[in-house]
Amino acid sequence: MSDTIFPLVPMHDMVIVEKEKVETTSAGGIVLTGAAIEDTNDRGIVRAVGPGRILDNGEKVEPTVKIGDRILWAANTGNPIKLDEKHDNFFVMSEQSVIGVLVGGGQ
């Protein structure tokens, strides 16, 4: 369940993720463009989580991810949302689109 002051509370198994800022310069100082940036772009920080999905039999499935988790999600999933100038780098997606939670460095 969303326990943050994020301005949008997701429904069911929806997750709101703040997309990570992508480094545009390599450690060696090379400016990265195009595909080099796109390949690392499907990761971010969970900012809000819905209460969970309801199965056909009425059973509620609690969400697995939680606010603050750093996740990786499937390419071409999620919908970009812009709530205002402060909240303009966010995606909303089903928790089922999440590939996993990054642990440790998770580069």
Side-chain angles (χ1 to χ4, degrees):
M1 182 72 163
S2 194
D3 62 353
T4 182
I5 52 174
F6 192 80
L8 178 65
V9 177
M11 301 296 293
H12 311 292
D13 72 331
M14 301 307 283
V15 177
I16 298 175
V17 181
E18 183 175 11
K19 191 174 181 180
E20 286 187 348
K21 302 284 188 222
V22 178
E23 292 295 323
T24 56
T25 307
S26 73
I30 297 171
V31 176
L32 303 173
T33 60
I37 293 173
E38 308 265 336
D39 287 345
T40 61
N41 219 11
D42 294 335
R43 60 180 68 191
I45 307 293
V46 175
R47 297 300 182 200
V49 179
R53 72 185 162 107
I54 306 297
L55 300 177
D56 290 340
N57 66 5
E59 182 182 340
K60 180 179 170 185
V61 177
E62 296 290 327
T64 307
V65 298
K66 60 187 181 306
I67 295 171
D69 281 349
R70 186 166 174 247
I71 65 166
L72 183 68
W73 65 88
N76 302 316
T77 59
N79 295 303
I81 57 172
K82 181 176 181 177
L83 300 173
D84 54 37
E85 295 304 315
K86 181 180 176 188
H87 301 94
D88 66 349
N89 198 31
F90 293 85
F91 279 75
V92 62
M93 66 192 69
S94 168
E95 185 183 34
Q96 294 177 0
S97 296
V98 175
I99 294 170
V101 177
L102 295 164
V103 294
Q107 306 282 331

